[in-house]
Amino acid sequence: MAMASRKMHQCGFHVDQFVSVTGLRQDNRPLLLVADPVAHAGCGSRAATDLKQKLDASVHSLIRQGFAVRRNPIPVSPAIDSNKCIPRLYNNVILENVVRSGQKQPFVWLPHFGDEEALGEFDEDNRQIWAGLGFDPICVTGWSHLASRNGALRCATKVISRAS
Protein backbone atom coordinates (compact mmCIF):
# COMPACT_ATOMS: atom_id res chain seq x y z
CA MET A 1 0.00 0.00 0.00
CA ALA A 2 1.11 3.55 -0.66
CA MET A 3 2.50 5.64 2.20
CA ALA A 4 0.09 8.31 3.50
CA SER A 5 0.94 11.94 2.80
CA ARG A 6 2.86 13.73 5.55
CA LYS A 7 0.16 16.44 5.48
CA MET A 8 -2.62 13.99 6.33
CA HIS A 9 -4.92 15.04 9.20
CA GLN A 10 -6.90 12.68 11.38
CA CYS A 11 -10.43 13.71 12.32
CA GLY A 12 -11.23 13.37 15.99
CA PHE A 13 -9.12 11.98 18.80
CA HIS A 14 -9.30 8.41 17.51
CA VAL A 15 -9.95 7.08 14.04
CA ASP A 16 -12.77 4.88 15.37
CA GLN A 17 -14.85 7.97 16.16
CA PHE A 18 -15.62 8.32 12.45
CA VAL A 19 -14.45 5.07 10.79
CA SER A 20 -15.81 1.57 11.48
CA VAL A 21 -13.87 -1.49 10.43
CA THR A 22 -16.53 -3.95 9.27
CA GLY A 23 -14.44 -7.07 8.77
CA LEU A 24 -16.21 -7.46 5.42
CA ARG A 25 -14.94 -7.27 1.87
CA GLN A 26 -16.53 -5.53 -1.11
CA ASP A 27 -15.10 -6.08 -4.58
CA ASN A 28 -12.22 -7.93 -2.87
CA ARG A 29 -11.34 -4.80 -0.85
CA PRO A 30 -11.70 -4.39 2.94
CA LEU A 31 -14.93 -2.48 3.62
CA LEU A 32 -14.94 0.52 5.97
CA LEU A 33 -17.96 2.51 7.13
CA VAL A 34 -17.08 6.23 7.24
CA ALA A 35 -19.23 8.93 8.83
CA ASP A 36 -21.03 11.44 6.61
CA PRO A 37 -21.86 14.52 8.77
CA VAL A 38 -25.19 16.36 8.47
CA ALA A 39 -26.08 19.68 10.16
CA HIS A 40 -29.03 19.11 12.51
CA ALA A 41 -31.30 20.87 15.02
CA GLY A 42 -30.11 24.41 14.53
CA CYS A 43 -26.41 23.71 14.14
CA GLY A 44 -25.16 25.79 11.26
CA SER A 45 -23.84 23.97 8.28
CA ARG A 46 -20.28 25.22 8.90
CA ALA A 47 -19.44 22.70 11.62
CA ALA A 48 -20.88 19.83 9.59
CA THR A 49 -19.35 21.08 6.33
CA ASP A 50 -15.85 21.41 7.83
CA LEU A 51 -16.00 17.90 9.24
CA LYS A 52 -17.52 16.53 6.02
CA GLN A 53 -14.69 18.01 3.93
CA LYS A 54 -12.08 16.35 6.16
CA LEU A 55 -13.88 13.02 6.07
CA ASP A 56 -14.39 13.24 2.28
CA ALA A 57 -10.63 13.73 1.93
CA SER A 58 -10.06 10.73 4.20
CA VAL A 59 -12.41 8.64 2.05
CA HIS A 60 -10.48 9.51 -1.12
CA SER A 61 -7.22 8.57 0.60
CA LEU A 62 -8.64 5.30 1.93
CA ILE A 63 -9.92 4.33 -1.53
CA ARG A 64 -6.49 5.08 -3.04
CA GLN A 65 -4.99 2.81 -0.38
CA GLY A 66 -7.21 -0.10 -1.44
CA PHE A 67 -10.26 0.12 0.81
CA ALA A 68 -13.92 0.02 -0.19
CA VAL A 69 -15.95 2.67 1.64
CA ARG A 70 -19.60 3.06 2.51
CA ARG A 71 -20.88 6.24 4.21
CA ASN A 72 -23.27 6.50 7.14
CA PRO A 73 -25.11 9.65 8.26
CA ILE A 74 -24.16 11.27 11.55
CA PRO A 75 -25.77 14.43 12.90
CA VAL A 76 -23.82 17.45 14.06
CA SER A 77 -26.27 18.60 16.70
CA PRO A 78 -26.31 20.68 19.90
CA ALA A 79 -25.13 18.70 22.93
CA ILE A 80 -27.82 18.45 25.62
CA ASP A 81 -25.51 19.75 28.36
CA SER A 82 -23.51 22.45 26.56
CA ASN A 83 -25.51 23.36 23.43
CA LYS A 84 -22.22 23.09 21.52
CA CYS A 85 -22.55 21.60 18.03
CA ILE A 86 -21.01 18.14 18.34
CA PRO A 87 -21.05 15.12 16.01
CA ARG A 88 -22.70 11.97 17.33
CA LEU A 89 -20.26 9.08 17.13
CA TYR A 90 -22.29 6.33 15.47
CA ASN A 91 -19.12 4.74 14.08
CA ASN A 92 -17.65 3.98 17.49
CA VAL A 93 -19.12 0.47 17.74
CA ILE A 94 -18.29 -2.88 19.25
CA LEU A 95 -18.33 -5.48 16.51
CA GLU A 96 -18.22 -9.26 16.62
CA ASN A 97 -16.56 -11.05 13.76
CA VAL A 98 -18.07 -14.46 14.51
CA VAL A 99 -21.62 -15.74 14.80
CA ARG A 100 -22.46 -16.93 18.31
CA SER A 101 -23.95 -20.35 18.80
CA GLY A 102 -27.71 -20.15 18.22
CA GLN A 103 -27.47 -16.83 16.32
CA LYS A 104 -27.78 -16.23 12.58
CA GLN A 105 -25.65 -13.07 12.38
CA PRO A 106 -22.78 -11.51 14.32
CA PHE A 107 -23.67 -8.74 16.75
CA VAL A 108 -22.76 -5.07 16.51
CA TRP A 109 -23.37 -2.85 19.54
CA LEU A 110 -24.38 0.53 18.18
CA PRO A 111 -24.60 3.77 20.20
CA HIS A 112 -28.01 5.44 20.08
CA PHE A 113 -28.95 8.99 20.94
CA GLY A 114 -32.70 9.11 20.22
CA ASP A 115 -33.64 8.23 23.78
CA GLU A 116 -32.70 11.77 24.93
CA GLU A 117 -32.54 13.75 21.67
CA ALA A 118 -34.59 14.02 18.49
CA LEU A 119 -32.13 11.74 16.69
CA GLY A 120 -34.27 8.64 16.25
CA GLU A 121 -34.05 8.83 12.45
CA PHE A 122 -30.23 8.69 12.65
CA ASP A 123 -30.45 5.78 15.10
CA GLU A 124 -32.69 3.93 12.65
CA ASP A 125 -30.63 4.80 9.54
CA ASN A 126 -27.44 3.52 11.17
CA ARG A 127 -29.20 0.43 12.52
CA GLN A 128 -30.45 -0.36 9.00
CA ILE A 129 -26.99 0.10 7.49
CA TRP A 130 -25.48 -2.45 9.90
CA ALA A 131 -28.40 -4.86 9.39
CA GLY A 132 -27.91 -4.51 5.62
CA LEU A 133 -24.25 -5.45 6.08
CA GLY A 134 -25.34 -8.70 7.74
CA PHE A 135 -25.06 -7.80 11.42
CA ASP A 136 -27.60 -7.99 14.22
CA PRO A 137 -27.52 -4.46 15.72
CA ILE A 138 -27.90 -4.12 19.48
CA CYS A 139 -28.97 -0.58 20.35
CA VAL A 140 -27.11 0.96 23.29
CA THR A 141 -28.86 4.06 24.62
CA GLY A 142 -27.64 6.79 26.93
CA TRP A 143 -24.80 8.31 24.92
CA SER A 144 -26.30 11.80 24.63
CA HIS A 145 -24.94 12.71 28.06
CA LEU A 146 -21.39 11.98 26.90
CA ALA A 147 -21.56 13.59 23.45
CA SER A 148 -20.08 16.92 24.58
CA ARG A 149 -17.06 15.01 25.89
CA ASN A 150 -16.64 12.97 22.68
CA GLY A 151 -17.70 9.91 24.65
CA ALA A 152 -18.53 6.81 22.69
CA LEU A 153 -19.22 3.13 23.11
CA ARG A 154 -15.73 1.70 22.56
CA CYS A 155 -14.29 4.30 24.96
CA ALA A 156 -16.30 2.69 27.75
CA THR A 157 -15.11 -0.88 27.16
CA LYS A 158 -12.27 -3.09 28.19
CA VAL A 159 -11.26 -6.11 26.15
CA ILE A 160 -10.75 -9.19 28.26
CA SER A 161 -9.39 -12.60 27.39
CA ARG A 162 -11.75 -15.45 28.08
CA ALA A 163 -10.79 -19.07 28.59
CA SER A 164 -12.59 -21.52 26.34
Side-chain angles (χ1 to χ4, degrees):
M1 292 194 178
M3 188 109 156
S5 165
R6 293 182 192 267
K7 294 182 181 182
M8 186 176 226
H9 174 74
Q10 174 180 307
C11 288
F13 300 110
H14 300 276
V15 172
D16 66 2
Q17 289 180 305
F18 300 106
V19 179
S20 301
V21 176
T22 68
L24 303 173
R25 296 185 77 77
Q26 179 179 308
D27 300 326
N28 207 29
R29 299 161 68 112
L31 178 63
L32 301 174
L33 191 61
V34 178
D36 193 10
V38 177
H40 183 265
C43 280
S45 64
R46 181 176 178 177
T49 300
D50 289 349
L51 181 56
K52 182 173 177 46
Q53 287 174 342
K54 290 174 185 174
L55 289 167
D56 288 350
S58 294
V59 165
H60 292 299
S61 178
L62 289 165
I63 291 170
R64 280 194 309 273
Q65 293 177 55
F67 292 94
V69 174
R70 180 156 178 198
R71 303 297 294 269
N72 64 299
I74 65 163
V76 176
S77 187
I80 62 174
D81 60 350
S82 70
N83 213 33
K84 183 177 178 186
C85 292
I86 301 287
R88 298 308 184 271
L89 304 178
Y90 283 96
N91 293 74
N92 194 280
V93 300
I94 299 173
L95 184 75
E96 288 190 334
N97 57 3
V98 296
V99 178
R100 292 179 184 215
S101 178
Q103 298 295 321
K104 294 182 180 178
Q105 298 175 306
F107 290 124
V108 59
W109 284 265
L110 180 63
H112 274 51
F113 303 91
D115 57 319
E116 295 286 333
E117 303 176 81
L119 298 174
E121 70 182 87
F122 290 95
D123 289 352
E124 180 61 23
D125 288 348
N126 281 279
R127 192 170 40 246
Q128 290 301 321
I129 287 169
W130 282 105
L133 291 173
F135 291 89
D136 185 3
I138 297 174
C139 310
V140 183
T141 59
W143 293 101
S144 295
H145 295 284
L146 299 172
S148 65
R149 293 160 195 83
N150 292 308
L153 194 53
R154 286 182 47 134
C155 299
T157 62
K158 179 175 176 89
V159 177
I160 58 173
S161 178
R162 295 184 184 170
S164 54

